[in-house]
Amino acid sequence: YYNKYGGSNHILQLSSNNQGDLSLVSGIDNIKQSIIARILTPKGSLPLHPNYGSLVAQLFGRATAPTAQEINNEISKCILSDSRISGAQLSSYTLESTNYTSNWNISLESMEAQFSFVAEHDSSGNFTIY
């Protein structure tokens, strides 16, 4: 599902339930959507919520080990800011030039479920989360 909606051009698009109403996102899909929205929103861009969002977009462009760690920390903070999430473990990441990819395992607080999460940035400036 998020492979086709994970990019910033498609995230949070509205869809209908074929009954004249908007479809609601719930459960794990709602948690994924919440994380994606927080990571893609530049921190400080919402005047009434200055701490909402992330600095991820500002960190790309410097292919250094400290930068990769800063990106990983920022993504982790965004994931763990959701009270429904009890843990976020980075399973792998790569940073080469302006290309970044990370894989995360997310544990949920009140469900017997886990899901994986991938964040990726390529040399053309595209940032995709799925």
Side-chain angles (χ1 to χ4, degrees):
Y1 177 80
Y2 283 92
N3 287 342
K4 65 181 180 177
Y5 295 114
S8 59
N9 293 334
H10 298 100
I11 189 63
L12 307 177
Q13 283 188 337
L14 300 177
S15 60
S16 72
N17 65 0
N18 297 323
Q19 298 175 359
D21 297 319
L22 296 176
S23 294
L24 296 177
V25 177
S26 61
I28 289 177
D29 285 339
N30 177 264
I31 294 170
K32 290 178 183 178
Q33 188 181 64
S34 174
I35 293 168
I36 291 168
R38 186 175 294 265
I39 291 171
L40 293 178
T41 302
K43 194 169 204 164
S45 65
L46 300 176
L48 298 177
H49 303 280
N51 294 321
Y52 182 87
S54 77
L55 302 173
V56 169
Q58 297 172 12
L59 297 172
F60 289 118
R62 300 173 296 171
T64 65
T67 300
Q69 190 57 49
E70 287 181 63
I71 294 169
N72 293 337
N73 290 342
E74 193 66 23
I75 290 174
S76 178
K77 280 193 268 183
C78 287
I79 293 170
L80 293 172
S81 68
D82 192 311
S83 63
R84 301 170 290 181
I85 295 173
S86 62
Q89 182 176 5
L90 177 65
S91 57
S92 67
Y93 77 91
T94 59
L95 178 65
E96 297 171 3
S97 184
T98 58
N99 297 323
Y100 168 86
T101 301
S102 62
N103 293 292
W104 297 82
N105 292 316
I106 312 298
S107 300
L108 303 179
E109 187 67 42
S110 62
M111 296 182 184
E112 296 281 330
Q114 289 187 336
F115 62 89
S116 293
F117 183 83
V118 177
E120 187 172 82
H121 182 268
D122 64 26
S123 58
S124 64
N126 295 321
F127 185 56
T128 306
I129 302 172
Y130 53 92

